[in-house]
Amino acid sequence: MRHPLDQGQVTLPRPAPHPGAPGCCRSHRILDCAQLVPTAQMGKLRRGEEEHLAPGHTGRPRPLRNLLLLLWTLLNCGLGGNAQGPGEWTPWGSWSRCSSSCGRGLSVRSRQCIRFPREVLCWGDTHEYRLCQLPECPPGAVPFRDLQCALYNGHPVLGTQKTYQWVPFYGAPNQCDLNCLAEGHDFYHSFGRVLDGTPCSPGTQGLCVAGRCLRAGCDGLLGSDAREDRCGRCGGANDSCLFVQRVFRDAGAFAGYWNVTLIPEGARHIRAAHRSRNHLALMGDDGRYVFNGNWAVSPPGTYEAAGTRVVYTRVTGSEETLRAAGPTSEDLLLQVLLQEPNPGVEFEFWLPRERYGPFQAQAQAQGWSLRQPQPREVDPRSPDSPAAPTVIPPRTPGHTPDPCPPCPDTRGRAHRLLHYCGSDFVFRARVLGRVRQAQETRYEVRVQLIYKNRSPLRALEYVWAPSHCPCPSLALHRDYLLAARRLISPDGTQDWLLLPHAGYARPWSPAEDSRVRLVARHCPL
């Protein structure tokens, strides 16, 4: 006869209540309920009763303690009620050995439910399964499912004395049934469930457990819903890293390699893409190219770099993508080999919070944020090198500016509050350059202090004003407090910092700095 504990659920007889007790409940596991009911006079004993003191007790009455004990008794035992709850689990047992001697398998542990009569069953499972990963099986090893089918070789089945040789059949509906095909015949037979730990099908990550195909979560438990967040934390909420997303839109002054961004160590979920005849190039921390280096276009495929696999694809036409799961074990440099004007290179990755500051500082120190081209020159005598496109110098604005109407008055606290709270970026910047293009004005600014930003800002940025007569107009070589919005084109290839017409652009001063910091406290959440 099996011990009751082996059945998974154990029912214990309920102790008889103490005479005079108003009724007992789950607290029988700790003390008899009657022992917890105090007398009418707090702190005193009935005649003939003894009080058992805990070690170290002074023996003095404790009215507050007795009152709390009475409340605890009423809540747990009820006033003459029969409160029932679920049973209680025993601690988990130890993990079993792996079900496989090589490759993937599973180990299991179990627990029992201890409950009293009329209590409901415990909540949860009696067994828990964990993935175990052993060294890969040697070449020629017989798969686990094949071994199970082979057990029926030479044995009569289907109610006849005829025997067959059996091999796995994967076309049946339930992957976790032992479906075996009779060799040389056009039928298969199901011999019930496969053993726990059998792979669901070749090339998949699922394992069969009790007739179900389960996958392991990031915690290693089969059937778990735990997943890694973008920061690589199991069950995390993406709060330990930052999302870096930009569009490199510099046109470039000549054909050649141009730095797009530094991909720092620890980056995850890396992606870069563009649509043009240009080519993405990736350089390792040692200065060697991973692909598309030295003026040679590499074939699409998977490349090993910085401890991760980089998938480089090029679709017929003009679309290129780069993807890597990460995390990277060293810095990488993303470049673009320009052969025609750059329509925009999108890039994004997730970076641990503690690495974002050093990433910004290193990028600025090395000049990547300045968008300076790598010192490579096109050899016009080389037939394999692409010819540099003709560079048309930008039109220099004339000395006599176009007549512009006066700008509206935008002074006042309400105007400052409106633009600060409604903008994506508020920062202090020095104006370095200004170019009028058609009906737009582009300012080149150096970011000096950031008050508010919804995505990272580079040291040098372009700020666009939607008019050749921007309001207010920014003077060269002066510092301003600017409130800008982020504008992304519908196809996602262009990303602008937009200074709205009659927006917030004030000359910087200590007084204006104080006003902005005060306004920041009044923005609605």
Side-chain angles (χ1 to χ4, degrees):
M1 178 179 296
R2 297 182 62 187
H3 193 279
L5 286 178
D6 296 333
Q7 306 298 325
Q9 302 285 342
V10 179
T11 304
L12 300 180
R14 181 178 295 279
H18 191 283
C24 285
C25 65
R26 297 184 60 198
S27 59
H28 274 106
R29 300 191 181 99
I30 306 174
L31 289 174
D32 191 351
C33 289
Q35 295 174 346
L36 302 176
V37 180
T39 62
Q41 293 181 347
M42 293 292 181
K44 296 184 178 180
L45 299 175
R46 293 193 181 100
R47 180 176 300 174
E49 294 183 337
E50 296 181 356
E51 182 179 17
H52 298 280
L53 301 179
H57 198 284
T58 61
R60 297 176 182 177
R62 296 182 178 180
L64 179 60
R65 174 178 177 273
N66 292 337
L67 177 60
L68 295 177
L69 186 62
L70 175 61
L71 293 176
W72 184 89
T73 303
L74 296 177
L75 291 174
N76 284 271
C77 297
L79 296 176
N82 292 315
Q84 302 295 331
E88 291 185 355
W89 290 109
T90 62
W92 284 106
S94 58
W95 289 100
S96 68
R97 296 180 60 183
C98 191
S99 62
S100 177
S101 59
C102 61
R104 293 184 303 119
L106 62 85
S107 57
V108 61
R109 64 179 182 176
S110 61
R111 58 182 178 176
Q112 285 81 36
C113 178
I114 308 298
R115 65 189 184 95
F116 293 108
R118 292 180 294 176
E119 283 186 332
V120 298
L121 299 179
C122 300
W123 299 327
D125 298 323
T126 58
H127 292 77
E128 196 170 56
Y129 301 89
R130 181 177 67 180
L131 179 69
C132 49
Q133 185 72 47
L134 300 176
E136 292 297 328
C137 297
V142 181
F144 196 21
R145 191 183 290 261
D146 292 58
L147 289 175
Q148 297 175 60
C149 285
L151 292 175
Y152 297 93
N153 291 345
H155 295 280
V157 295
L158 306 177
T160 67
Q161 296 300 316
K162 191 172 182 180
T163 62
Y164 303 91
Q165 299 294 311
W166 302 97
V167 295
F169 176 69
Y170 296 101
N174 192 346
Q175 295 178 325
C176 290
D177 283 344
L178 185 57
N179 305 304
C180 302
L181 178 70
E183 282 189 312
H185 300 79
D186 57 355
F187 68 91
Y188 73 93
H189 183 69
S190 179
F191 293 97
R193 293 178 179 176
V194 297
L195 296 177
D196 288 349
T198 303
C200 300
S201 60
T204 62
Q205 297 297 317
L207 295 177
C208 292
V209 176
R212 297 185 301 158
C213 183
L214 302 179
R215 293 174 62 94
C218 60
D219 53 3
L221 300 180
L222 291 170
S224 169
D225 294 329
R227 297 291 181 266
E228 280 191 355
D229 65 358
R230 293 292 184 176
C231 312
R233 295 177 57 186
C234 186
N238 299 331
D239 54 356
S240 63
C241 58
L242 293 173
F243 183 43
V244 179
Q245 183 184 40
R246 299 294 291 176
V247 177
F248 173 73
R249 51 184 177 263
D250 288 9
F254 56 84
Y257 288 89
W258 285 70
N259 297 327
V260 175
T261 184
L262 174 72
I263 302 175
E265 176 185 354
R268 293 176 180 266
H269 302 283
I270 305 162
R271 176 184 173 273
H274 74 100
R275 292 176 177 269
S276 68
R277 292 177 54 248
N278 303 323
H279 295 287
L280 297 175
L282 191 65
M283 178 184 290
D285 194 38
D286 57 358
R288 298 181 180 180
Y289 278 99
V290 180
F291 56 81
N292 290 347
N294 302 316
W295 299 96
V297 178
S298 306
T302 302
Y303 296 83
E304 297 288 339
T308 187
R309 292 184 176 182
V310 181
V311 180
Y312 167 59
T313 60
R314 184 170 60 248
V315 182
T316 302
S318 59
E319 183 177 359
E320 268 188 339
T321 59
L322 175 155
R323 295 179 183 272
T328 54
S329 59
E330 61 184 32
D331 294 345
L332 295 171
L333 177 60
L334 179 64
Q335 297 179 325
V336 60
L337 175 57
L338 292 182
Q339 301 182 93
E340 65 181 21
N342 174 31
V345 177
E346 301 175 1
F347 63 89
E348 61 185 46
F349 51 84
W350 291 78
L351 195 62
R353 286 183 177 271
E354 63 273 13
R355 295 187 181 273
Y356 182 73
F359 155 63
Q360 285 287 76
Q362 185 177 6
Q364 295 174 12
Q366 296 296 332
W368 284 308
S369 61
L370 303 180
R371 306 307 186 203
Q372 294 298 325
Q374 189 181 5
R376 291 179 177 270
E377 297 295 338
V378 180
D379 185 1
R381 296 170 295 179
S382 174
D384 298 330
S385 301
T390 303
V391 180
I392 302 176
R395 178 179 300 176
T396 304
H399 296 286
T400 304
D402 297 332
C404 294
C407 293
D409 187 7
T410 58
R411 292 174 296 179
R413 181 176 180 274
H415 181 82
R416 185 183 301 107
L417 180 66
L418 174 66
H419 283 279
Y420 186 99
C421 299
S423 299
D424 298 319
F425 306 90
V426 178
F427 55 95
R428 173 188 174 185
R430 174 175 288 267
V431 180
L432 303 180
R434 179 181 59 199
V435 177
R436 291 190 175 95
Q437 299 177 350
Q439 296 300 315
E440 297 175 331
T441 301
R442 187 189 74 179
Y443 294 101
E444 184 180 9
V445 300
R446 181 186 299 277
V447 178
Q448 297 179 327
L449 179 63
I450 299 176
Y451 298 89
K452 173 185 177 181
N453 64 317
R454 295 184 178 176
S455 61
L457 286 172
R458 298 175 298 176
L460 290 183
E461 288 283 359
Y462 288 138
V463 178
W464 298 80
S467 174
H468 70 280
C469 289
C471 281
S473 180
L474 307 183
L476 294 177
H477 310 300
R478 292 195 61 182
D479 290 355
Y480 288 86
L481 275 172
L482 303 176
R485 297 178 182 177
R486 186 181 185 187
L487 180 63
I488 301 177
S489 62
D491 59 355
T493 60
Q494 300 292 331
D495 186 1
W496 296 282
L497 293 181
L498 181 66
L499 183 63
H501 183 74
Y504 182 83
R506 305 285 177 83
W508 187 89
S509 65
E512 194 66 26
D513 176 88
S514 300
R515 297 186 190 105
V516 167
R517 295 181 186 275
L518 182 62
V519 164
R521 305 174 187 174
H522 296 83
C523 287
L525 298 178

